[in-house]
Amino acid sequence: MAREIRGFRIFDGMLGATAQRDMVADVRRVVRAAPLFAPVTARGQAMSVRMTSAGARGWVTDRRGYRYQAMHPGGMPWPPIPDSILAVWNAVVPQARSPDTCLINWYAPAARMGLHQDRDEADLTQPVVSISLGDDALFRIGNTERGGRTESLWLRSGDVLVMGGAARLTYHGVDRIAPGTSTLLDAPGRINLTLRVAG
Ligand code: SIN
Ligand code: MN
């Protein structure tokens, strides 16, 4: 059963320990083929997360701005989205189109993600599904327009979050992670997987 906060559905502990370990092994295979890179915003600001993608397209940002593109910045294609990750999408949003991109964000202990909307996708009627692995993250949920009161919750390893419907354009971000709260990964840090229909 999911709980709901401001239209975001949260499936606490949806993935058990074995499923999480298998998924991390799949993520490592993707990262070996399409290495994590350090994104920079259009204004030249370094983001604190490291990222890569799987799927037909991947989200990138550099001095030319935000976009989805068919190739990794290193020139290689993005690897396919692992079945273990697709299975989560099919379980929580079975009515949606298939995702064509899975963003992989790596949070080192000091990394964070400012409040933002996910709005670079062509069809905003399709949901976004986000999977947390590794250390806990303090996740902040705002409103569909910038500003106003916000609400925070801790996302833990194995939690799955769905942003869809009226909440598809709700602002969200990660204030901080809590290093050492999970033993899933070899080192302190957090992986977030974000599945989307981009094209
Ligand atoms: C994101 O919104 O891009 C990432 C969210 C998260 O790390 O939980
Ligand atoms: Mn987002």
Side-chain angles (χ1 to χ4, degrees), residues 105 107 113 116 118 130 139 155 172 174 190 192 196:
N105 281 314
Y107 291 76
M113 173 90 61
H116 66 277
D118 285 17
S130 156
F139 186 77
L155 290 178
H172 58 278
V174 171
R190 171 175 184 260
N192 174 256
R196 304 188 184 102

Side-chain angles (χ1 to χ4, degrees), residues 23 26 29-30 80-90 131 195:
M23 199 173 282
D26 285 339
R29 276 188 281 276
V30 170
I81 303 175
D83 288 343
S84 62
I85 299 172
L86 286 174
V88 172
W89 175 278
N90 292 331
I131 304 170
L195 290 157

